[in-house]
Amino acid sequence: MNELVTGDAVVLGLRPAKLPSRALALVIDLVVVWTVYLLVSIGIAVSTGALDDAAVTALSIASFLLVLVGGPIAVETLSHGRSLGKMAVGLRVVRDDGGPIRFRHALVRGALGVVELLMSFGVIACVASLVSARGRRIGDVFAGTLVVRERVPVSQLAAVPPPPPWLVGRFAELDLSAVPDDLWLAVRQYLTRMRQLDASVGRSMVERLAGDLAARTGAPVPQGVPADAYLAAVLNERQARDARRAFGSPGVPGSAPAPAPAAFVPGPAAAPATAPASSSATSSSPSASHSPAPAPPATGFVPPA
């Protein structure tokens, strides 16, 4: 089973989509696209009754290219690989390295999709997907993309592993204000999925995440600290700061102020000079330990020993 990690850190541990789910998503997309194309064609036929045949033909070709070819390309580009059919089935188009696709990827997929999907009614795409080990059609091969499953069952979610005890509190002075939320999300989801990733993919990811986190904090990764342990320790420090800020511990900006120290009250308790004498007398005379100590005067004055 091939597992991937999306570059935008939306979901980790994605698996290549199977042919049935891809076929269902394709059917939904084709129904939507052809419905829009028929409505546009009817509108053109009604509104261009006074034009000649050449103009009608040009408008028909333009509507075909804009709706059936440009429409899917625009949708995949703007949604980062999620068409209506793929959203309904829970699929997504990503790059080979797991990152989100861009316009050039959608353009290649859409251009070759005219031959694979429209002209051959999906036969070429089905054959290519069955032959490919990762279920890719010809457009995916030339574009360097892959259709993966975006939805992960809740039972497969794991908790963030704790950092090693010897790293807890080591990054208390680290400045985390410049770390963006998407990087925190990437670190968190890598730590929850690192045991499910391929060894080489996981190694390259953890090194990249550790380098990005060190660049954002302004402090390099300490020597001798593994990259995954570094990520876990820094994430644990951030969670600890959020917990202190939420529960109002003293010393954290935005928390409740610390209680004021108790006022000094003169009296029997304010006689530190008598403490050593009393302790020495207690240790030198065994009988004195059983006798009650004389009560000091109410004025707070203690006679010399």
Side-chain angles (χ1 to χ4, degrees):
M1 181 185 302
N2 296 323
E3 293 185 347
L4 297 176
V5 180
T6 59
D8 51 357
V10 176
V11 181
L12 298 184
L14 299 181
R15 294 177 293 180
K18 302 298 182 180
L19 181 60
S21 58
R22 293 193 61 177
L24 179 58
L26 177 60
V27 169
I28 297 174
D29 289 336
L30 289 179
V31 168
V32 174
V33 170
W34 276 105
T35 301
V36 175
Y37 175 70
L38 290 178
L39 294 177
V40 172
S41 299
I42 294 174
I44 292 176
V46 172
S47 60
T48 59
L51 298 178
D52 55 2
D53 294 339
V56 174
T57 303
L59 288 177
S60 300
I61 295 176
S63 63
F64 175 84
L65 294 176
L66 290 177
V67 177
L68 295 182
V69 180
I73 294 175
V75 170
E76 285 193 353
T77 302
L78 297 177
S79 63
H80 299 288
R82 299 180 66 196
S83 62
L84 293 178
K86 292 181 177 63
M87 284 191 289
V89 181
L91 305 181
R92 184 170 187 164
V93 183
V94 298
R95 300 195 308 259
D96 281 340
D97 59 356
I101 65 170
R102 299 183 180 180
F103 173 73
R104 60 185 180 87
H105 304 96
L107 178 62
V108 175
R109 295 185 80 253
L112 292 178
V114 175
V115 179
E116 286 187 275
L117 303 176
L118 299 180
M119 294 184 178
S120 65
F121 299 98
V123 175
I124 298 178
C126 291
V127 173
S129 298
L130 290 174
V131 172
S132 174
R134 302 168 72 181
R136 301 199 300 176
R137 62 180 178 89
I138 299 177
D140 292 321
V141 175
F142 281 92
T145 58
L146 176 69
V147 179
V148 297
R149 293 174 53 187
E150 189 178 34
R151 296 173 186 169
V152 179
V154 179
S155 58
Q156 297 181 4
L157 299 179
V160 178
W166 53 278
L167 281 180
V168 175
R170 182 170 178 178
F171 303 101
E173 303 298 329
L174 205 62
D175 182 15
L176 305 179
S177 59
V179 182
D181 291 337
D182 56 350
L183 183 54
W184 286 123
L185 181 60
V187 171
R188 177 182 178 85
Q189 294 191 344
Y190 166 78
L191 292 175
T192 58
R193 300 286 180 180
M194 60 182 180
R195 292 181 178 85
Q196 303 177 14
L197 298 175
D198 181 74
S200 59
V201 175
R203 191 181 310 110
S204 62
M205 280 202 61
V206 70
E207 292 176 356
R208 186 184 65 197
L209 290 174
D212 293 344
L213 190 58
R216 293 287 185 173
T217 57
V221 181
Q223 293 291 337
V225 177
D228 54 350
Y230 167 76
L231 295 179
V234 177
L235 181 61
N236 181 75
E237 175 61 28
R238 193 236 185 179
Q239 293 175 345
R241 294 184 186 182
D242 291 343
R244 290 196 300 266
R245 189 176 296 110
F247 289 102
S249 300
V252 180
S255 61
F264 174 76
V265 178
T274 60
S278 301
S279 59
S280 60
T282 303
S283 59
S284 60
S285 177
S287 60
S289 60
H290 301 284
S291 61
T299 58
F301 173 76
V302 179

